[in-house]
Amino acid sequence: MIKIIWMRALPMFTNTSEELHQLLPRGLVAFCAALESPKGTCLFKAGDRPEHMFFVVSGEVVLERPDRQGASVILQRTRRGFVSEASLQSAIYHCTGQVVANTKMIQIPIRQVRDALDNDPAFAGRWIGMLNKEVKRLRLQCERISLTRVQDRFVHLLETEGDKGCFPISSGIKSLAAELGVTHEALYRCIYAMEKAGKLQRTATHVTLSQE
């Protein structure tokens, strides 16, 4: 169950969500709510009518849907930024939104976002800029999946999406393997080999590339 921990609009925009504060018009802020969701929470299901999008402040949320064999395929993984923004002009959610690590987020009503985009040109411009950044991130993801070796994909992820080579693994190695498009056995072997060679340090919550 999603737990609403505070509802007043302005106090929720702390330094941890400064980019959201800069993006949204003040009139839209009043309709937002701060949420705290434990691991295992389902935010929405594929086929549901879209009512909200979410901005992840901390934690981790994935968008997933089943393949032809019924296995879950992860289409997007968000540790910071928007989830379900693609449903802005859609009649239904096309994926299921699942919380895979304890997460703090901002819930934003879709109808009010649409109204603001129609009536606030400055906000529309900022929104387009945000979507351009997302496109760049997805291009990096496509570049990563094109790499053949497991280690190349893993290092690419740490270098492009980590903080100076440090990357959170709070959702687990299996989840990380799914993001990389490899088996978890192959990723475990890769991590072990890199640790043994002194190329990687691992804790319970993070992996970090060694500085050469």
Side-chain angles (χ1 to χ4, degrees), residues 147-155 180 182-183 186-188 190:
L147 300 174
T148 303
R149 297 174 63 231
V150 175
Q151 181 172 319
D152 291 341
R153 292 188 186 186
F154 182 49
V155 171
L180 293 172
V182 301
T183 66
L187 183 56
Y188 274 118
C190 171

Side-chain angles (χ1 to χ4, degrees), residues 13 89 98 145 166 178 198 200:
F13 290 101
Q89 302 295 337
Q98 193 73 25
I145 294 301
C166 182
L200 186 77

